[in-house]
Structures are given as C-alpha cells and as structure tokens.
Amino acid sequence: SSTFAPSSSLGRRGGLQQIMRVAKTIALCACLAVVAQANDWEADLKRAKTWKPRSGYKGAGSLGSANRQLNRHLEARIGHTFKACEEFGVGELRGVLRTLLPLASEELKQVYAPVDGRRPVYSTIFEMEAHWADVPEHDERVRDAHCHEAVMWFVHHLSSKAQDELALKTVLPKLPVADHSAGKGKRAPHDVAGKFYDEKITCQNCHVGGIDNLGVPEVAPETVKAKQRRCYTNYKELFNITCGPCDGIAGPYSGDDDQYFDPTDCVVVAQPHEVPVNERVPVALPPQFSVDVVGGSDRFGRTTTAGTHREDLRSDPRKWYMDSKPGADLGMLRHDTVYASVTERMASRYLSSLLMSGRSTRRPPSSAHPT
C-alpha cells in the first residue's frame, strides 16, 4: 500500500484543486448574476425617471404610428411572446391585467408623478374590477384600452426581472392597430367606452412624436455640386436620377443655397461589381456603439426623413448611438453627418469573440469620417 500512497495523495490533491476551481467558477457566476441584476435595476430606474422617450420610441405624429413603432420593440424582445391585440378577447385581457397588477414594483410606481401618463391608477384587483363593472365589454375600444394598459404596465411598472419571469408563463398583447383617439375631449356623456379608452392611452402622449415631413416637394439637383449635396434613393423614381457612391454625402454648409456648400472629398475606388467577393472586407459591425458628432449638413425642416438612429441628447449633446442587434429598428446612422471617435459597447468582449471565431476586423480610423 505504501507504493501507491504518493499517487493517492496526488490524486486527492488534484481532486481538491478541481473542486476549488469549480467552486470559484460558481462564485464568479453568482457575482456576475448579481451585477447583471443590479445593472438591470439601474436601467429600470433610469427609464422610469425619463419623461421624454428617445426618437426610436416615437411615432410620426399619430397614435397609430406610435403603436406600430413600439410594437417593433415588443417583437424584438427575446424570450417573450406577444400576439396581436385584436386576437384577444376582453375577458382574456382582463386575466392578463389581473396577473400584471400584483407584479408591479412599488419603487417604480413611486417615481411617477400624478401628472405622468405612466402613473398607477389602481391599488387592488378589487378596485380595478369595480371600474370594469361600469364599462361595456363588447366595444372594441375597451379591448384596445386594455391592450394599451397591459403594455404600459409591463414596460413601466414591472422590473426587468419580473418581466423575464412573466415571459415564462404569460402571452402578452401588442398595442392595437386602430386609433380611436379622434373623439378625445369631446365624448358624449353616455360614451362610457370612449372615455375609458381615453383614460388608458395617457402613456402614448409622449410616444406620438411629431410630423414625419413638412410636405415640401423634392427638387431635382441640376448641378454636380447639388447632386453631391443631396441625392436619395427615391430620386430614381422621382427624377430618373441614379445616385453614385459620392452623391448625397453632403458636407459643411453656411446657407441654404448650394453656393454656400462645400462637398466632402470623395474618390470612388471601385464599384461593388468590380471587386470579387473573396477580396471584399467582411462586415464586422459591433452590435452596439456610439459616435461623436463633429459636423454635418442636416437641417431642421428637411424634406425627407433621415436614417433611423438613436439620440440621447440628455446625457451628451454631441453623441449618437447605434444598435444593430437582430430585431433592432435602429439600423443606420444619419447619412449626411460627420462622425469620429467610434466607441464600442463591450468592445473587448466583442473583439475577443471575433478573434476566437477567426473573423477579421478593421479598426475605424481615428480621424473624422462621414457615414
């Protein structure tokens, strides 16, 4: 037995070391989980304290457009199941509301002021059901009102943790397609369903947004310089004009007329059909990143809408954000703005994953460059 003692001792020591490694891994995972939950809660509080939605969460001047925009965000949630509001019955929606009400975070509800459209209106299920007793069930406006309220509670009253737990057992409604707000403020005294609907769309007041354009007609660019300043994809349909790689990239300007405009330097190296597929640089766009805005020719009252993007002027008036994750509706930065200092979110983890997978990347130049 003495012959095997050293080997047995080494085996026990190796086993203890392995156990210690596993224990450290479990402890590390637990710490990371705690940090993730803390970060989620901070994000919940920040959202609750933010009165004005970001541009990606606004419509184009109507409740219907706001609903469509917000439904895209709901559909992009991983692990959550949503179905059209119109596929629910009133009784089914009231069951969802009975589930949601007790899950609301008291801390989040306390953030909302009495004039905030996200404020809580019921303290108990009994109080909520008593309100329903006075409302007709077979009016589609009541159904749509319940959908509005369910989505608002889910997004603004539940913590991220509660949302994820709810996703395992509950199918939630999306916002309705129809807009019944035309009669708001002038309902007939007997229109109980209409008044009930108006009470449930208060959160949407901030999501409706402004007009999508000013109705000013586009004018065909008549010179090379004008074409360099503005050339959009619909110009082919409008004016039979094909935009080249150096058209429409804009540049600095000091007035409305093209004589006060200096085109950005641009040289066409090659057209796409001239570069073999195996010689093209693979796309390595970070899932999320921000850029500093250093210039551009965009102006208020533009006649066409710009690419979708995310603005957060509250935190930094010179920084714009981009989200290119699957399902995100923020897929482009503005086309005629000059950017610099690209900052990737969780850049080291993203680049490490690329290196591990054998994909190549290119660092963006530090100097300013137009998108």
Side-chain angles (χ1 to χ4, degrees):
S1 61
S2 60
T3 305
F4 296 97
S7 176
S8 300
S9 176
L10 289 173
R12 287 194 298 272
R13 187 179 303 125
L16 288 173
Q17 292 175 345
Q18 184 175 2
I19 292 172
M20 290 298 293
R21 284 195 296 269
V22 172
K24 289 179 180 178
T25 301
I26 294 174
L28 177 59
C29 291
C31 290
L32 292 175
V34 170
V35 171
Q37 290 182 4
N39 290 339
D40 287 342
W41 177 243
E42 289 178 4
D44 293 339
L45 283 176
K46 181 179 180 181
R47 182 174 65 252
K49 294 176 181 179
T50 301
W51 275 58
K52 182 180 179 181
R54 291 168 296 190
S55 58
Y57 292 81
K58 289 184 178 181
S62 68
L63 183 64
S65 65
N67 289 350
R68 289 191 296 272
Q69 181 74 350
L70 295 175
N71 278 338
R72 296 189 187 102
H73 289 283
L74 295 177
E75 294 163 357
R77 284 176 171 264
I78 299 174
H80 294 77
T81 303
F82 294 88
K83 72 177 184 180
C85 173
E86 294 72 19
E87 296 180 17
F88 282 86
V90 168
E92 189 179 3
L93 288 167
R94 289 180 174 178
V96 173
L97 292 169
R98 289 188 185 97
T99 300
L100 289 170
L101 185 62
L103 299 177
S105 164
E106 293 299 325
E107 292 88 345
L108 291 178
K109 290 195 298 182
Q110 290 173 6
V111 173
Y112 306 125
V115 295
D116 194 318
R118 300 167 295 175
R119 68 191 182 280
V121 294
Y122 305 121
S123 301
T124 65
I125 292 178
F126 177 81
E127 181 185 358
M128 178 173 64
E129 292 177 340
H131 190 193
W132 294 343
D134 300 326
V135 180
E137 294 188 21
H138 302 294
D139 192 310
E140 70 173 20
R141 293 174 296 176
V142 174
R143 178 203 63 200
D144 291 357
H146 285 327
C147 291
H148 275 285
E149 191 160 47
V151 171
M152 193 274 283
W153 287 0
F154 172 74
V155 174
H156 294 296
H157 289 189
L158 270 62
S159 65
S160 296
K161 183 175 182 292
Q163 290 176 0
D164 291 339
E165 292 174 351
L166 182 71
L168 301 176
K169 55 185 179 182
T170 304
V171 177
L172 294 166
K174 292 190 284 188
L175 292 167
V177 173
D179 177 358
H180 311 290
S181 62
K184 188 176 180 180
K186 50 185 178 182
R187 305 284 187 190
H190 62 274
D191 189 5
V192 178
K195 294 178 180 178
F196 181 80
Y197 175 83
D198 295 342
E199 294 173 1
K200 305 305 180 184
I201 60 172
T202 54
C203 178
Q204 297 297 77
N205 293 337
C206 295
H207 289 285
V208 167
I211 56 177
D212 54 358
N213 65 72
L214 298 179
V216 180
E218 286 286 353
V219 179
E222 298 180 354
T223 65
V224 173
K225 190 174 185 180
K227 191 177 178 183
Q228 288 176 310
R229 183 176 186 179
R230 52 186 176 84
C231 194
Y232 306 120
T233 53
N234 65 342
Y235 276 19
K236 182 67 177 178
E237 178 183 352
L238 293 176
F239 313 117
N240 196 29
I241 293 176
T242 301
C243 301
C246 289
D247 295 328
I249 63 174
Y253 71 97
S254 57
D256 291 336
D257 194 275
D258 291 335
Q259 64 177 315
Y260 304 111
F261 158 70
D262 294 321
T264 301
D265 292 337
C266 178
V267 176
V268 179
V269 177
Q271 295 281 5
H273 65 274
E274 299 172 338
V275 182
V277 175
N278 60 349
E279 295 181 12
R280 299 177 186 177
V281 177
V283 176
L285 190 66
Q288 294 178 319
F289 63 90
S290 64
V291 291
D292 291 323
V293 182
V294 297
S297 66
D298 212 357
R299 68 269 183 203
F300 180 78
R302 58 182 302 106
T303 56
T304 59
T305 55
T308 53
H309 62 289
R310 174 178 293 168
E311 297 180 48
D312 193 352
L313 302 182
R314 292 170 288 101
S315 61
D316 188 342
R318 295 182 57 81
K319 192 176 289 292
W320 281 358
Y321 299 84
M322 176 170 171
D323 187 345
S324 62
K325 299 192 305 299
D329 65 340
L330 306 171
M332 298 174 60
L333 294 171
R334 297 181 80 93
H335 54 83
D336 51 3
T337 308
V338 183
Y339 303 97
S341 304
V342 176
T343 304
E344 298 177 18
R345 181 177 179 182
M346 302 181 71
S348 59
R349 180 183 299 180
Y350 175 71
L351 293 176
S352 297
S353 66
L354 291 180
L355 294 173
M356 291 293 290
S357 63
R359 293 169 58 191
S360 62
T361 63
R362 291 191 302 171
R363 286 184 63 87
S366 58
S367 58
H369 56 86
T371 297

